Amino acid sequence: MRDLRAATTDPTTTPGRVAPAIEVTGLRRSYGDLLVLDGVDLTVTPGTVFALLGPNGAGKTTVVNILTTLVDAHGGTVRVAGHDVATEPDLVRRSIGVTGQFSAIDDLFTGAENLRLMADLHHLDRLEGSRRVSELLERFDLVDAADRPATTYSGGMRRRLDLAMTLVGDPQVIFLDEPTTGLDPRSRRTMWEAVTELVDDGTTVFLTTQYLEEADRLADRVAVLDRGTIVADGTVDELKRRVPGGHVRLQFPSTVQLDTAAATWRDDGRVVGRDDRSLTLQVPGDGSPDSLRALLDRIDRDRLDVEHLSVHRPDLDDVFLALTGRGTDHDAADPEGATGTGRADPDHATAPEAVR
Amino acid sequence: MTTTTFALRDTSTMLRREFRRTLRYPVGPSVTVGLPIVFLLLFVYVLGDTLGAGLAGPGAGRDDYLDYLVPGMLVLTIASATSVTPVTVAIDRTAGIMDRFRTMAIARSSVLAGHVLANVAQAMVGMAVLVGIALLLGFSPTATPVEWLVTAGLLALATFALIWFAVALGLVADSVETASNLAMPLVLLPFLGSGFVPTESLPTGLRWFAEYQPFTPIIETVRGLLLGTAIGWQGVVAVAWCLVITVASWRWARHLFHRDPT
Ligand SMILES: Nc1ncnc2c1ncn2[C@@H]1O[C@H](COP(=O)(O)OP(=O)(O)OP(=O)(O)O)[C@@H](O)[C@H]1O
Ligand SMILES: [Mg+2]
């Protein structure tokens, strides 16, 4: 039930054709007594976007840190761009670009100076360096801000500069750890466009995200990481197929009614999700007239006070729910940002809706 | 290009970065250059008369104390620089840019080397300014050009050693605040040595500490070179301290730099 890989038929992973851009087998890592990664396997085909999806604390950043030579693995093998990260870290570094979860820019420098620093460290000569810097400023809409110190940049601008810095060296494989967390919809779209352009140019992109919409939009393949293991791996469509039918979301006028409904329906295991804040219950239902009629009859029979009802086709959220027994549930897992920054998350509440 | 030329090129890039950062946010140089000058003026003009007489007997005064004080002030300049370095290192570390460097195919040694060289340069400039001001105030060293050169060499060696130590402190600290606190005690060390008064005048416990801490032989050697007082074994002890501190700190810093980010 939990392993999708056996059922995977995606031709891009057929072995023997192209050497994978990223190949991870049996990856393990702990911090002290905490086993963070417990046997992770991943394969990413060159020129594709791979999204690693998971809630806070799932181990996404740990995976990225190991793949980018920042952190040692405690077990398993990791090859990136054909090189083993443990034995040939320098060759790996030569092929990758990394945009970490938190911005890694020099605040005392202007945007242009930050890019220039990267150009110098990539040993581009003066002319080539300047060309690359102005090209990237242009591409990431930073021309006007180029000569302002990075401290004056907005969150979106910092993120764009961060990605631009990652691209100075023209890397084959790019890692983006939650590239759009905390961005407004417009900045988010700019990031998405940038990722799409990169892939069109043949770059491989490995990104982590908590947003299902993002994975849906960008990724050729998705893996769901939960408590240190990959609980599902496949194309977005394959994952969606895992969840037959969809669900119906019922909204109640108050907690009392919500409790009553939950109690009535829990017995036959029909509740698949509950959100106390929005006073909603999710129950299975594919949206067919028959299933809806049955549902309405039941609401009448049990005298439940349903204020609002909406039908949802399966999306990655349902997949997540089915695979982990929990929703992605950013809010519960991340009160004011468990990441410590308390980043605003303007449209996470709507992100899953947009998939439908 | 060979590995060495790469390393040199990356180090010079990092060094330029540090210089530019220092110009943008000149807190470091103001502490490194400013603090010893403030202390010099304070000690010479407020306490100089009394301390001078106490040191060299009646009839002696401010000028004698100025001569006595300068070597300690030079070492205080090193200590001040040492208190600034951990902060700049910790800023880089916590701001994530150090992790970015660590994922790039650059000469890894250049990241720390940039910090070390920039801070050593800053301290050397601070010491030059201090000597200039002291000469204006009436400092009268007896050193020959060769002795000046040896003094500069020893001070550079001591700075190099202590800045490496400071870099390690910046790497071991989990936040910029911790880094700043860790480095604070270093500024006190010259005061707990022979920088301001001879160690013989200190109470027993403190005297013992003062005689065995690394700053005292450095101060005494500089004093001997500049003013012709007896050096004895102090020179050898000073150089030995510098070498031990350099090697130990360099290894510690390297270990910390390569460890996983926390
Ligand atoms: N340096 C560290 N020391 C101790 N524990 C750590 C360290 N880094 C990560 N962890 C723990 O490992 C687990 C996974 O963390 P990780 O940062 O990889 O999760 P994540 O999926 O990136 O989460 P988020 O969405 O919040 O960024 C967490 O429980 C975290 O507390
Ligand atoms: Mg993370």
Side-chain angles (χ1 to χ4, degrees), chain A residues 60-61 101 177-178:
Chain A
K60 303 182 295 294
T61 300
Q101 185 166 359
D177 195 357
E178 300 196 22

Side-chain angles (χ1 to χ4, degrees), chain B residues 76-191:
Chain B
L76 182 67
T77 309
I78 303 178
S80 320
T82 312
S83 74
V84 172
T85 309
V87 178
T88 57
V89 172
I91 288 175
D92 264 14
R93 213 177 118 77
T94 52
I97 188 117
M98 199 173 273
D99 278 346
R100 181 186 279 284
F101 293 148
R102 280 158 44 104
T103 63
M104 295 173 68
I106 57 175
R108 295 199 125 196
S109 55
S110 68
V111 181
L112 297 185
H115 276 285
V116 170
L117 295 179
N119 285 285
V120 169
Q122 203 169 297
M124 296 306 283
V125 169
M127 287 189 267
V129 172
L130 186 88
V131 168
I133 291 179
L135 288 172
L136 288 177
L137 297 178
F139 175 49
S140 47
T142 59
T144 62
V146 173
E147 282 170 327
W148 273 111
L149 265 180
V150 176
T151 307
L154 175 65
L155 288 170
L157 186 65
T159 311
F160 189 69
L162 289 159
I163 294 291
W164 266 114
F165 180 63
V167 165
L169 288 183
L171 290 173
V172 83
D174 49 16
S175 71
V176 177
E177 287 74 27
T178 321
S180 151
N181 293 337
L182 280 178
M184 252 1 219
L186 283 169
V187 182
L188 287 179
L189 280 184
F191 293 90

Side-chain angles (χ1 to χ4, degrees), chain B residues 30-76:
Chain B
S30 17
V31 173
T32 308
V33 179
L35 192 74
I37 292 175
V38 170
F39 272 104
L40 182 78
L41 296 175
L42 204 67
F43 272 76
V44 169
Y45 286 101
V46 179
L47 309 167
D49 247 356
T50 319
L51 286 172
L55 273 181
R62 188 163 288 142
D63 286 348
D64 301 86
Y65 189 61
L66 176 63
D67 284 347
Y68 183 83
L69 191 61
V70 170
M73 285 299 137
L74 287 170
V75 172
L76 182 67

